[in-house]
Amino acid sequence: MLNARGRLSMKYWQLAAVAGLTVGCAAVGWAQESVSYLVRVEDPTSKLIHVEAELAAEGDTTYVSLPAWTPGHYELENYARFVREFRASGDGGSELRWDKLDADTWRIVSEGTTKVRVTFGFLADTLNLSGSLLKEDFGFFNGTNIFVYPEGRYDLPARVSFDLPEGWGVATGLSDSEEPGVFVASDYHELVDNPTFVGHFDIDSVLVDSVWVRLAVYPAEYLDDSRTPARAMALEALAQMARVLHDLFGEPPYDRYTVLIYLEEGQISFAGGLEHADSHLDIVPAITFQNPRFTFRQFLYRLLAHEYYHAWNVKRIRPVEMWPYDYERRQYTPLLWVSEGITDYYAHVVLTRAAIWGEGEFLNAVRDWIIQTEALPAREAVEDASINTWIDPTFVDRYMYYDAGALLGLLLDIQIRHATENRRSLDDVMAKLYHEHYLEGRGFTTNDFLAYVGAYVGLDVAEQFYRDHIDGRRPYPYQQVLTLAGLSFETDTIIEPFFGVQVASTRDRRMLVRQVVPGSAAAAAG
Ligand SMILES: [Zn+2]
């Protein structure tokens, strides 16, 4: 472990093009082009993050946009809503005329200028995993919120510097440049995939397999070593998870991984995390860190493992419909049951393999997935739920593909292990998707996934399972499949309307699920 709690004051504003960065664009003339950003906090109480962006003019008219959504949070949010005092200037500081073209795009008259500088204030008052928040001594932002880009140019490298109050630090997954306090990204995707902490917070790190895993927490006092074991517990758990994850895929795919945790001391209606390729951001109640011996095991470890597994599954192993990301419109994919559900399944697998959890906790989680899935008022195919999440339908749980997808992952894993006498598992399917799709620079389809599963269980078996339980709405074959793993599945139907779901205790390798709904899918499957 390495403690790194120094503070840096940063005042840099570099306009020079970033040397040495290549651009994924065929035109030779673009090779040195980049966008430079300055993120400035003048008065934290104003809740305004001031943003300056300098980019090349695109002829007589230059279009700049902000994203409509943040990958991982499948909902249109149109961050341009939070922009105020938008201004554009050209060479020598001359004011440029502009108007709005659509909800997310500004049209700037750039005739006669080679560079365009855009400035605006961003209202950072949203406590949301895909939002931005500014407080007196601290702030965080998502790149999708504040980094305007020249329309159609996701390929440009970027350079980000900060002008912050004295004593404020920066924690971000963005790569360091040669200049202290200045960060770089090879393209827009990388730029906006790194949420950033600014201000006073605690940051610490642990070395795992030659890469640093960092933990930044705000407010810092919740990691006071004289009062709480939270720091040691969180770093140790992250290190254990990292080792298991690196083993699963054969390598760490990042130079370093950063976990950003914001602790909310006031009322909060949610707790969760949002994944990124080299980092993730969690927002959880501060109480989580007040009694870590209890709450970490109950809640935080699972959240960390889920978001961490996402660094592979969805950020790198990504449905083809989101390859590459398009920040201007919804990207519908039927595969969120893999991206979210199998991620949740593996969160539990990783915790168990890392010996952070015991087998009993794993089986309790399986029981909870079954209860949650079978308690749904309406049965929806996980593929349809994946599409529908964008519109938050009123008749089903928009997130049902988490629990149902985790179950499907378990059921497929057991079938693969059974068919191959435990020589192969879902681990191999996920590793193949990583090596043969992500590392080959492409997304994956349902057919790709089924082909890998089918190679172990038989393609006809994989395709029938798909038709029945993934595209289809047939009850899950708990009894038939769990038995293969030496687990028993029982349902106990209680005729007691309005009582809700009742859970019995788990003993040994046995799950007991009690349902109140006669004729439910669980009862039928059992
Ligand atoms: Zn997730």
Side-chain angles (χ1 to χ4, degrees):
M1 284 182 210
L2 175 76
N3 280 332
R5 277 168 249 162
R7 310 285 177 218
L8 293 171
S9 174
M10 292 151 200
K11 291 184 188 293
Y12 299 100
W13 180 220
Q14 298 293 332
L15 301 180
V18 181
L21 289 173
T22 53
V23 182
C25 174
V28 175
W30 290 113
Q32 293 298 310
E33 193 183 339
S34 67
V35 183
S36 291
Y37 300 91
L38 171 67
V39 177
R40 199 172 68 236
V41 175
E42 289 170 358
D43 171 16
T45 60
S46 71
K47 299 196 179 298
L48 287 179
I49 295 175
H50 293 277
V51 181
E52 296 183 22
E54 182 161 308
L55 44 109
E58 298 263 0
D60 291 349
T61 309
T62 300
Y63 300 91
V64 299
S65 295
L66 273 176
W69 66 290
T70 300
H73 188 74
Y74 304 104
E75 190 174 326
L76 294 186
E77 296 184 305
N78 301 98
Y79 306 111
R81 291 190 299 133
F82 300 97
V83 169
R84 51 182 66 182
E85 297 166 23
F86 184 95
R87 293 181 63 190
S89 56
D91 298 342
S94 57
E95 196 83 7
L96 300 178
R97 290 177 53 215
W98 59 268
D99 61 6
K100 285 295 288 287
L101 177 69
D102 60 34
D104 307 310
T105 304
W106 290 262
R107 175 168 49 190
I108 300 165
V109 178
S110 53
E111 195 177 2
T113 186
T114 58
K115 298 245 180 207
V116 172
R117 177 186 289 212
V118 164
T119 63
F120 58 88
F122 187 90
L123 183 63
D125 68 346
T126 310
L127 182 59
N128 183 328
L129 290 161
S130 53
S132 298
L133 185 74
L134 196 55
K135 303 174 70 154
E136 247 174 67
D137 61 343
F138 172 82
F140 73 79
F141 65 82
N142 275 276
T144 47
N145 291 196
I146 67 167
F147 292 133
V148 288
Y149 62 95
E151 185 74 7
R153 297 301 305 273
Y154 293 154
D155 58 303
L156 296 176
R159 177 179 182 83
V160 182
S161 52
F162 292 85
D163 182 356
L164 302 171
E166 193 65 33
W168 280 37
V170 177
T172 175
L174 285 170
S175 300
D176 298 324
S177 73
E178 286 164 6
E179 282 177 71
V182 179
F183 300 87
V184 291
S186 60
D187 61 19
Y188 189 74
H189 300 298
E190 191 180 317
L191 175 69
V192 298
D193 192 40
N194 288 285
T196 297
F197 272 11
V198 292
H200 296 278
F201 49 83
D202 187 287
I203 186 161
D204 205 340
S205 53
V206 57
L207 190 64
V208 185
D209 298 332
S210 306
V211 294
W212 287 104
V213 177
R214 304 191 304 176
L215 173 68
V217 177
Y218 172 86
E221 58 259 34
Y222 288 89
L223 290 191
D224 179 353
D225 294 333
S226 66
R227 291 192 300 112
T228 168
R231 172 201 311 280
M233 288 177 67
L235 281 173
E236 176 59 21
L238 284 169
Q240 288 170 281
M241 291 176 207
R243 281 183 210 106
V244 172
L245 287 164
H246 296 167
D247 276 354
L248 273 172
F249 294 97
E251 60 182 16
Y254 36 68
D255 296 329
R256 71 180 173 200
Y257 187 82
T258 305
V259 177
L260 303 166
I261 301 181
Y262 172 86
L263 301 176
E264 174 55 43
E265 294 175 305
Q267 287 290 324
I268 188 171
S269 60
F270 71 98
L274 187 61
E275 67 275 10
H276 300 278
D278 299 341
S279 65
H280 77 253
L281 169 66
D282 299 314
I283 298 176
V284 297
I287 195 171
T288 308
F289 272 63
Q290 284 171 343
N291 187 6
R293 285 200 176 84
F294 177 71
T295 45
F296 280 17
R297 206 176 172 88
Q298 281 285 311
F299 164 68
L300 189 75
Y301 291 151
R302 177 181 165 183
L303 176 64
L304 295 175
H306 177 102
E307 302 308 331
Y308 208 161
Y309 189 78
H310 268 316
W312 285 266
N313 194 25
V314 91
K315 296 313 298 190
R316 291 181 169 85
I317 301 168
R318 196 183 312 160
V320 71
E321 295 84 3
M322 296 192 290
W323 188 286
Y325 287 124
D326 180 341
Y327 306 94
E328 296 176 19
R329 52 190 60 83
R330 292 171 177 143
Q331 287 185 296
Y332 296 107
T333 174
L335 280 161
L336 292 184
W337 72 272
V338 171
S339 298
E340 289 298 345
I342 287 185
T343 292
D344 214 39
Y345 173 60
Y346 267 99
H348 296 73
V349 169
V350 167
L351 289 175
T352 307
R353 285 191 197 160
I356 294 170
W357 270 10
E359 187 185 83
E361 282 160 307
F362 181 84
L363 291 177
N364 281 343
V366 173
R367 186 191 55 189
D368 289 345
W369 292 330
I370 294 173
I371 291 170
Q372 295 301 328
T373 300
E374 299 307 324
L376 290 171
R379 189 146 196 114
E380 193 178 31
V382 287
E383 282 198 338
D384 296 338
S386 180
I387 301 288
N388 273 336
T389 193
W390 285 95
I391 58 167
D392 191 8
T394 55
F395 71 103
V396 287
D397 177 358
R398 75 183 300 187
Y399 297 126
M400 64 84 73
Y401 49 80
Y402 281 79
D403 293 326
L407 280 175
L408 292 168
L410 170 70
L411 296 174
L412 287 169
D413 199 6
I414 291 172
Q415 290 178 87
I416 294 169
R417 288 172 184 276
H418 179 72
T420 62
E421 294 178 334
N422 226 15
R423 287 193 306 273
R424 298 292 178 188
S425 69
L426 196 58
D427 296 1
D428 297 284
V429 172
M430 301 311 289
K432 279 182 180 293
L433 287 169
Y434 175 73
H435 289 281
E436 296 176 10
H437 288 266
Y438 167 68
L439 290 182
E440 297 294 323
R442 60 201 175 114
F444 75 98
T445 64
T446 295
N447 282 342
D448 295 327
F449 182 87
L450 292 178
Y452 290 129
V453 174
Y456 301 132
V457 303
L459 194 56
D460 54 333
V461 173
E463 289 182 344
Q464 187 64 47
F465 188 88
Y466 166 77
R467 279 192 296 275
D468 287 347
H469 309 299
I470 296 168
D471 176 48
R473 300 165 189 82
R474 291 177 63 86
Y476 294 168
Y478 302 120
Q479 188 77 305
Q480 182 192 337
V481 177
L482 295 180
T483 305
L484 300 176
L487 297 166
S488 74
F489 174 76
E490 295 174 25
T491 59
D492 185 354
T493 302
I494 303 165
I495 309 300
E496 192 173 350
F498 311 114
F499 182 75
V501 172
Q502 189 183 37
V503 184
S505 62
T506 301
R507 291 189 305 276
D508 301 328
R509 298 176 65 84
R510 181 181 153 153
M511 282 176 292
L512 185 61
V513 180
R514 289 188 170 161
Q515 296 286 137
V516 296
V517 188
S520 73

